[in-house]
Amino acid sequence: MRKKKAGAATKRAARTAAKPTPKKQDAPPAGEVLDLKSAAGFLKVSKPTFYRWLAQGKIKGHKAGNQWRFYRADLEHFLRAEEPSALQVDSDALRQAVEKARKARKLPPIEWPEAETPEESTVIGTVNMLIRDAIDARASDIHLDNNADEMLVRYRVDGVLSEVMSLPRDFAKPLVSRLKLMGDMNISERRLPQNGRIFVEHRDLEFDVRVVTLPAQFGESAICRILDQSSILIGLDKLGLLQPMQKAFEKSLHTPNGMIVVTGPAGSGRTTTLYSALNLVNSRRIKIVSIEDPVEYRLRDTMQVHVNRKAGLTPAFAMRMFMHSDPDIILVGDLRDLETAAGCVNAAMTGHLVLTAMLPIEAPSVITRLIEMGIGPFIVSASVITVLAQRLVRRVCPHCKADDRPNPDLLQRLEAQTGLDLSNAKFQRGKGCKECRQTGYRGRTAIFELLEVDDKLRELIARPVTTADFRAAAIDAGMTPMLRDGIEKAAQGITTVEEVLRVLAGEQNEHA
Ligand SMILES: [Zn+2]
């Protein structure tokens, strides 16, 4: 703090002193502070190059000694002054377009906020409205896509995208710029992806919004992910595990050492499962540490560390650090490289319980993936105790559900595939109502596949085995395949056969 203040005073002195000489581009005297223009001049690079270096983090903070220096506040002012047109927009036209789209969705008119100019008020009001509306619609994401002839705004609700409004393309730049300003991002950098974070208060709740901007063919697009700490259903009983599977998973969490992997593609609810698992075993008698990217939810009595690759704080580095901090349980938010995997199996074999998430879509594939990464089969067999694969499916809307009987041929085929008797099943379907926006679904639950590695499977892993053979052996050993778990939930009226098949078919395509 003190250092910054002293710097600001020196900087003012330096600006006046440095002004007569920037063209000479001599090395500034020791301890001198330059403004950004002079710094670019001193480095003999053009301003765009200098900005690119700044945005890429090649130039960090200020340098001491006989080199130029500058401050982050200077940098931000400078960049904003460089971009006076960012929020310029045809205010009336944008207001009309937004109000028209809202009217079509039967939403009340916006109360435009007070701001210095009508343009600012319109842009700020529109962005605030999009975020608040999305929260009210229970959306997990907002997509602002810059297409050839429009700015398409969509919300993702219960995993499915739906169009909210289409605005003329001219409005894309000011709206994305506004998001970047709110997210403390560099608004003049449009050629590189960026990410930022916005805190929003809405209806007395606090929301954490992660913003990602992507330079695409027709201009920058933005994606906002809405995290709502208060709504996350932490608790194993709330995940949607059927009784026998929940018991088995709980049992494995009470093992003192070994590795538990939750697997599935991004957005399959793995994080919620990991947090719920930790929450079950959390007590003051054990030490829990975690390395996450990002830390999504704060857990009581847990030392949570945020990945910072730029600073060298990788999951693998954190694992080595953790080994000196006497933990009982280690959570590794994402395992996707050999170094991290090696750290995990090492910790699992030296008396720690390791919980982690991976990407394979089937539980048995986790075993083969670890071996492909370079972990020895014997080490994999000695460390992995449980793998839980999962996927999210939409729940039947409770407000408009009614009995349903799927096609008999389809049922017969499913009975053959899953071994379930579906003759007395209570299938249900939502007819569509206001509560579910006519989709017939409201909220989501997960379908699972739990692999418990017993002695027989352990032996099989230690010698070379194909994924298909291992999967067959796992099913022999009692693993319920995900399709069966999903159809069982459809037979209880929780979701529909159609929804389970939609989610699992999506994966087969990804596979190909
Ligand atoms: Zn409904």
Side-chain angles (χ1 to χ4, degrees):
M1 218 40 194
R2 220 193 297 150
K3 203 173 163 191
K4 260 196 177 168
K5 271 184 187 164
T10 331
K11 181 195 70 192
R12 270 196 297 278
R15 259 193 196 147
T16 38
K19 251 180 192 160
T21 54
K23 276 178 192 163
K24 281 188 173 175
Q25 297 178 351
D26 287 330
E32 188 121 316
V33 179
L34 295 189
D35 63 24
L36 296 180
K37 257 181 201 161
S38 314
F42 168 61
L43 288 173
K44 297 192 177 71
V45 293
S46 67
K47 274 194 287 169
T49 308
F50 189 59
Y51 296 161
R52 197 171 61 245
W53 287 358
L54 288 171
Q56 289 171 343
K58 286 188 180 168
I59 299 175
K60 284 176 199 154
H62 63 280
K63 265 184 181 174
N66 61 352
Q67 292 249 352
W68 53 271
R69 14 180 184 172
F70 58 87
Y71 294 91
R72 180 153 177 86
D74 280 340
L75 171 60
E76 275 163 6
H77 286 135
F78 193 84
L79 291 175
R80 272 171 214 179
E82 248 342 87
E83 199 55 52
S85 66
L87 292 187
Q88 256 177 30
V89 67
D90 182 345
S91 182
D92 289 341
L94 177 56
R95 283 191 188 199
Q96 273 172 20
V98 168
E99 293 289 18
K100 199 177 145 200
R102 284 178 68 80
K103 221 173 167 184
R105 297 176 62 224
K106 298 195 178 80
L107 292 168
I110 303 180
E111 277 179 37
W112 298 99
E114 275 183 38
E116 276 181 26
T117 63
E119 287 81 11
E120 267 185 51
S121 164
T122 306
V123 172
I124 293 171
T126 303
V127 171
N128 287 354
M129 176 277 292
L130 287 176
I131 297 175
R132 302 219 155 106
D133 246 20
I135 294 170
D136 286 342
R138 298 182 302 109
S140 57
D141 306 81
I142 309 170
H143 291 247
L144 291 110
D145 291 332
N146 222 331
N147 293 338
D149 50 2
E150 58 165 2
M151 172 85 169
L152 177 62
V153 182
R154 290 179 295 176
Y155 292 161
R156 189 180 289 281
V157 180
D158 294 337
V160 180
L161 275 174
S162 68
E163 181 178 336
V164 173
M165 59 179 75
S166 161
L167 297 172
R169 270 201 68 200
D170 303 348
F171 301 141
K173 199 164 141 187
L175 295 179
V176 173
S177 293
R178 172 66 193 161
L179 279 171
K180 285 161 89 174
L181 266 179
M182 291 169 84
D184 201 16
M185 296 144 85
N186 178 352
I187 61 167
S188 68
E189 176 57 78
R190 295 208 179 78
R191 292 156 302 181
L192 293 171
Q194 293 188 65
N195 53 64
R197 201 168 168 182
I198 303 172
F199 292 99
V200 181
E201 263 191 40
H202 183 54
R203 301 194 195 282
D204 292 329
L205 292 171
E206 208 175 84
F207 297 85
D208 186 354
V209 180
R210 303 283 159 84
V211 187
V212 175
T213 58
L214 294 171
Q217 191 184 0
F218 299 107
E220 266 186 313
S221 292
I223 301 104
C224 306
R225 167 146 288 191
I226 302 166
L227 300 175
D228 169 12
Q229 183 130 18
S230 63
S231 82
I232 182 167
L233 295 171
I234 285 193
L236 276 189
D237 51 333
K238 298 186 183 81
L239 295 176
L241 282 156
L242 295 176
Q243 255 318 307
M245 221 187 260
Q246 185 180 329
K247 280 228 170 81
F249 189 56
E250 265 178 37
K251 199 182 101 204
S252 71
L253 287 169
H254 287 103
T255 317
N257 59 293
M259 185 164 149
I260 297 175
V261 183
V262 178
T263 193
S268 57
R270 298 173 307 173
T271 313
T272 308
T273 302
L274 286 173
Y275 282 124
S276 300
L278 277 190
N279 209 41
L280 179 83
V281 290
N282 199 349
S283 92
R284 294 227 159 149
R285 282 168 32 226
I286 55 169
K287 166 122 179 172
I288 304 179
V289 294
S290 81
I291 175 77
E292 301 166 64
D293 186 14
V295 171
E296 282 186 41
Y297 303 97
R298 267 151 246 124
L299 286 165
R300 193 171 45 86
D301 299 331
T302 302
M303 193 180 94
Q304 290 173 284
V305 178
H306 188 98
V307 170
N308 186 342
R309 289 179 204 276
K310 266 189 201 163
L313 181 53
T314 60
F317 178 80
M319 288 298 291
R320 289 198 293 276
M321 187 182 82
F322 287 159
M323 297 313 278
H324 304 295
S325 66
D326 186 30
D328 296 291
I329 300 181
I330 304 171
L331 173 81
V332 180
D334 200 6
L335 188 167
R336 51 173 82 195
D337 58 78
L338 174 60
E339 222 188 337
T340 311
C344 287
V345 294
N346 180 36
M349 292 196 305
T350 51
H352 308 91
L353 185 67
V354 178
L355 272 69
T356 188
M358 286 178 69
L359 286 169
I361 58 173
E362 293 181 342
S365 310
V366 161
I367 302 294
T368 34
R369 179 78 196 105
L370 284 168
I371 295 171
E372 278 165 18
M373 275 177 159
I375 305 291
F378 181 75
I379 293 173
V380 173
S381 84
S383 50
V384 179
I385 50 176
T386 304
V387 183
L388 184 70
Q390 69 175 74
R391 215 74 76 246
L392 295 176
V393 293
R394 291 179 293 169
R395 282 175 169 273
V396 173
C397 172
H399 303 280
C400 60
K401 66 179 178 189
D403 287 346
D404 183 47
R405 198 73 207 158
N407 173 309
D409 290 345
L410 176 64
L411 287 187
Q412 210 175 16
R413 210 169 67 225
L414 288 172
E415 280 186 330
Q417 271 177 298
T418 61
L420 290 167
D421 173 12
L422 298 172
S423 52
N424 293 315
K426 289 185 146 178
F427 293 104
Q428 299 211 293
R429 171 180 299 279
K431 287 194 293 250
C433 68
K434 224 178 110 190
E435 293 291 329
C436 59
R437 303 184 317 139
Q438 309 304 327
T439 58
Y441 296 99
R442 192 180 158 93
R444 285 192 287 180
T445 189
I447 55 175
F448 300 95
E449 180 170 281
L450 182 76
L451 169 68
E452 295 169 272
V453 183
D454 61 12
D455 288 342
K456 213 174 139 197
L457 292 175
R458 219 170 283 287
E459 215 174 274
L460 202 60
I461 298 169
R463 51 183 141 110
V465 63
T466 64
T467 310
D469 286 350
F470 186 66
R471 183 173 175 81
I475 292 170
D476 275 351
M479 181 182 84
T480 303
M482 195 176 285
L483 175 68
R484 181 178 160 129
D485 189 58
I487 298 302
E488 223 170 317
K489 279 167 185 158
Q492 293 180 14
I494 297 168
T495 184
T496 64
V497 168
E498 198 183 1
E499 174 70 0
V500 172
L501 296 179
R502 178 187 73 88
V503 167
L504 293 182
E507 250 98 62
Q508 270 154 19
N509 293 339
E510 273 169 39
H511 228 15

